[in-house]
Amino acid sequence: MRKAIAIDFDGCLCEWAWPEIGAPHMEVINAAIAERENGAALILWTCRVGERLGEAVAWCAGFGLEFDAVNANLPERIAKYQNDCRKVCADEYWDDQAVIARKCLVMGSGEGCRQERILQDAVRTWGRDAQMLMMVEEMSELTKEICKFYRTTDDAGASAIAGNIREEMADVQIMLDQMKIMFGRIGPMMRVKLDRLEKRLEAAHRKGE
């Protein structure tokens, strides 16, 4: 049975601009196309209906992104499970509003849930604009420490600055995790970027032979 991926439209394949269609998220679109080329079945899973749904399907087709089903289960899954359930059956669900519930269900009040709760609270409390500016500030702090590391001339100084770099890395990571909450998870994009990096590494290794 083919791998099935249910993909949200507004906020996932494009910027949120409903009822209009926002700017394309090309990394997600390209990741979806690559999954289909590798044999996966794609389902457009969206709240859009009627004319708005038709616009979304046509918009995706304009980028070469085709779907095996739209707001519906795949025929092979209906046949296998003898059920056409309301929620589409898929192996993966790509959605900008997704929250990883499995970790919280398994770990209860563990560290993973605590981190998610704190980050969500930070975004709600201070808002997107303030946290975006904080992202820029934390990145600049990390940049300064990296520059200091390259300027240092003794081992003791380098060791101290390395500690500062780790601290700033933690600050940047916390802000990056908030950016995921604000702008959507980046799993599909990460796969595309890693595939690209892997190909570059393969080319570099061949060149060095």
Side-chain angles (χ1 to χ4, degrees), residues 123-136:
V123 173
R124 284 194 300 268
T125 300
W126 291 304
R128 185 170 74 172
D129 289 348
Q131 296 311 88
M132 288 173 62
L133 289 174
M134 184 59 69
M135 174 85 253
V136 174

Side-chain angles (χ1 to χ4, degrees), residues 14-190:
C14 64
E15 293 287 342
W16 180 270
W18 193 92
E20 306 302 324
I21 297 177
H25 288 165
M26 290 310 303
E27 296 91 344
V28 182
I29 292 171
N30 290 334
I33 292 172
E35 287 281 3
R36 195 164 192 260
E37 289 175 347
N38 288 330
L42 304 184
I43 304 168
L44 182 61
W45 185 229
T46 174
C47 292
R48 286 179 176 251
V49 295
E51 181 180 352
R52 296 299 184 186
L53 177 59
E55 291 171 352
V57 172
W59 183 88
C60 291
F63 293 99
L65 176 57
E66 304 285 348
F67 296 95
D68 299 271
V70 176
N71 284 344
N73 282 296
L74 296 168
E76 65 256 38
R77 300 226 168 191
I78 296 174
K80 178 177 179 179
Y81 297 112
Q82 296 295 299
N83 180 22
D84 188 7
C85 54
R86 183 175 178 180
K87 177 182 178 181
V88 297
C89 177
D91 300 295
E92 295 181 6
Y93 297 86
W94 295 6
D95 195 309
D96 61 300
Q97 298 296 324
V99 175
I100 308 302
R102 180 171 54 213
K103 183 185 296 182
C104 292
L105 290 172
V106 172
M107 299 176 63
S109 59
E111 187 61 28
C113 274
R114 174 176 175 269
Q115 176 177 316
E116 185 74 16
R117 185 176 67 253
I118 292 171
L119 296 176
Q120 292 274 4
D121 193 17
V123 173
R124 284 194 300 268
T125 300
W126 291 304
R128 185 170 74 172
D129 289 348
Q131 296 311 88
M132 288 173 62
L133 289 174
M134 184 59 69
M135 174 85 253
V136 174
E137 181 179 330
E138 297 296 356
M139 288 191 299
S140 70
E141 293 293 335
L142 176 57
T143 300
K144 286 191 290 186
E145 293 301 326
I146 291 172
C147 291
K148 289 178 185 178
F149 184 85
Y150 276 103
R151 289 199 303 268
T152 190
T153 57
D154 62 276
D155 291 342
S159 179
I161 295 171
N164 294 341
I165 288 175
R166 290 191 294 271
E167 180 178 348
E168 297 302 337
M169 286 171 60
D171 288 335
V172 168
Q173 186 62 59
I174 288 171
M175 297 312 303
L176 279 172
D177 288 340
Q178 290 181 59
M179 296 286 281
K180 293 175 188 176
I181 292 170
M182 293 186 284
F183 295 102
R185 308 289 169 171
I186 59 173
M189 302 176 198
M190 285 289 291

